[in-house]
């Protein structure tokens, strides 16, 4: 999508609102539907937005991560804070444990085309419980091992694969993180291979401590402490979405058919002001997306407008090419040479925190969504 057409699309959506399909003369419901579909594609959702979900609290980790990488409007604070452009969280869906720490996470919403960067198992470790065995109280450290379950014979070496192991203080109560990337590689390639994870707790001498050391499950404890897999991926979407002339053309046609006198007045007005950046607020509630987006509620995309006529001052941030073009236009040295265009010359990314169709919480970063400054080009 060209930058000008992208700003036009957002203006079309924001000005119309969900219940106002005639805010631009000649605008039809079909055009609005195409606009919303195109905006979904920009946000990497090819078919339809996730369904609205009942209000529930997102994992605190995901809220903290969002606040770390984005400001209040969702604009990225630093481009390198996030590994990849997508972070997904999956809560434990296991039902039975058989006195073992067994967890299951449904990762079917991850596309095979996404590049898996790293995957983490987040467990909230509880303080060691009192035991009738006096020998248990002498333990100050324990070894926690995470296994990928390969088949139902978890008691055998062939039935599981060691993913991560760490030595932890027995009496601490805190979140612990284990790397499980190799298991997730397998699960994404073949979803039927996902049989869950097994966590084993032993003393440093090898004795079992499963009845002494426990992890919060979300059923027996507050849901905020539920076991969680956090997956960092990259879908290799960089820059604005691929152009689609069949969809862009109607938008341009709508503006072309707009009231000619109004356009003439606007042109005269713009000629009085140089190229500048103006607000363009995208309200997700107005678009009808507030049911699944957690943060932000909207963001200021900004847009550029104004004249780029000779002479171009440095405040218009002209390129050398734009300066030469403005001179050729002013002197009429060549027919058909227009004045340079007022467009964004710096673009920032934004971040969305939202629920997907499986009620997983996703943090996704989208490039080139905010005009940081404008210039004549």
């Amino acid at each position: 999508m060209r930058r000008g057409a992208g700003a036009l699309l957002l203006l079309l959506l924001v000005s119309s609102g969900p219940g106002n399909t005639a805010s631009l003369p000649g605008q039809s419901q079909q055009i609005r539907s195409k606009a919303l579909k195109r905006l979904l594609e920009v946000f990497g959702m090819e078919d339809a937005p996730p369904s609205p979900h009942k209000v529930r609290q997102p994992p605190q980790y995901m809220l903290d991560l969002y606040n770390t990488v984005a400001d209040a409007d969702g604009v990225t604070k630093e481009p390198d804070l996030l590994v990849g452009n997508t972070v997904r969280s999956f809560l434990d869906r296991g039902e039975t444990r058989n006195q073992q720490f067994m967890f299951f996470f449904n990762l079917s919403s991850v596309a095979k085309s996404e590049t898996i960067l790293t995957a983490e198992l987040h467990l909230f470790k509880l303080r060691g419980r009192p035991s009738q065995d006096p020998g248990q109280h002498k333990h100050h450290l324990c070894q926690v091992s995470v296994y990928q379950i390969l088949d139902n014979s978890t008691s055998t070496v062939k039935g599981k694969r060691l993913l991560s192991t760490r030595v932890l203080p027995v009496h601490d109560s805190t979140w612990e993180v284990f790397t499980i990337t190799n298991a997730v590689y397998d699960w994404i390639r073949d979803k039927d291979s996902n049989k869950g994870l097994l966590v084993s707790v032993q003393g440093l001498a090898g004795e079992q401590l499963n009845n002494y050391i426990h992890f919060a499950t979300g059923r027996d404890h507050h849901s905020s402490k539920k076991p969680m897999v956090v997956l960092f991926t990259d879908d290799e979407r960089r820059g604005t979405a691929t152009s689609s002339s069949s969809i862009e053309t109607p938008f341009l046609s709508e503006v072309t058919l707009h009231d000619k006198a109004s356009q003439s007045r606007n042109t005269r007005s713009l000629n009085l002001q140089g190229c500048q950046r103006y607000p363009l607020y995208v309200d997700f509630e107005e678009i009808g997306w507030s049911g699944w987006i957690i943060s932000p509620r909207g963001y200021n995309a900004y847009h550029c407008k104004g004249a780029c006529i000779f002479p171009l001052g440095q405040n218009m941030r002209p390129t050398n090419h734009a300066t030469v073009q403005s001179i050729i236009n002013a002197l009429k040295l060549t027919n058909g040479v227009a004045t340079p265009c007022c467009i964004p010359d710096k673009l920032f990314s934004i971040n969305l925190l939202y629920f997907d169709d499986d009620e997983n919480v996703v943090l996704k970063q989208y490039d080139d969504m905010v005009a940081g400054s404008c210039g004549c080009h």
Side-chain angles (χ1 to χ4, degrees), residues 92-97 102 216-222 226:
D92 177 34
R93 302 292 179 90
E95 296 181 358
T96 60
R97 302 187 179 276
M102 300 178 68
T217 63
R219 286 182 294 276
D220 302 324
H221 307 88
H222 193 274
K226 197 169 187 176

Side-chain angles (χ1 to χ4, degrees), residues 46 52 72 104 108 139 151 192 212 215 250 253 263 269 285 306 317 358 363:
E46 305 301 331
F104 179 81
S108 60
H139 294 288
D151 57 41
D192 293 332
Y212 181 48
F215 301 97
S253 298
Q263 282 192 350
S269 176
E285 183 174 358
R317 305 166 65 90
D358 294 326
L363 169 61

Side-chain angles (χ1 to χ4, degrees), residues 230-306:
V230 178
L231 179 60
F232 295 82
T233 69
D234 195 299
D235 63 7
E236 299 181 358
R237 292 170 60 92
R238 288 292 180 263
T240 50
T242 305
S243 65
S244 176
S245 58
S246 62
I247 296 178
E248 281 184 13
T249 302
F251 301 152
L252 300 177
S253 298
E254 290 295 331
V255 175
T256 302
L257 295 173
H258 197 37
D259 178 62
K260 298 295 184 179
S262 176
Q263 282 192 350
S264 177
R265 288 193 299 271
N266 291 339
T267 301
R268 288 195 298 270
S269 176
L270 290 179
N271 284 338
L272 299 176
Q273 295 190 15
C275 178
Q276 296 181 49
R277 188 178 75 154
Y278 293 86
L280 173 58
Y281 189 76
V282 182
D283 191 324
F284 293 132
E285 183 174 358
E286 285 291 316
I287 297 174
W289 289 4
S290 60
W292 55 275
I293 293 180
I294 302 168
S295 287
R297 292 302 182 188
Y299 76 101
N300 202 335
Y302 293 99
H303 70 116
C304 302
K305 66 179 180 180

Side-chain angles (χ1 to χ4, degrees), residues 1 6 9-10 13-14 35-50 73-74 85-86 88 114 235 237 239-242 281-284 287 289 292-293 295-301 348-356 362-370:
M1 178 183 292
L9 180 149
L10 292 173
L13 289 171
V14 175
L36 287 172
K37 184 177 185 297
R38 189 70 185 95
L39 189 60
L40 280 172
E41 291 173 0
V42 170
F43 283 98
M45 299 166 193
E46 305 301 331
D47 299 321
D73 294 324
N85 64 4
T86 308
R88 302 177 185 273
E114 291 188 51
D235 63 7
R237 292 170 60 92
T240 50
T242 305
Y281 189 76
V282 182
D283 191 324
F284 293 132
I287 297 174
W289 289 4
W292 55 275
I293 293 180
S295 287
R297 292 302 182 188
Y299 76 101
N300 202 335
F348 300 136
S349 61
I350 66 165
N351 301 265
L352 290 190
L353 189 68
Y354 63 89
F355 290 106
D356 67 14
V362 181
L363 169 61
K364 197 168 184 67
Q365 193 170 94
Y366 300 89
D367 289 343
D368 300 348
M369 297 297 287
V370 174

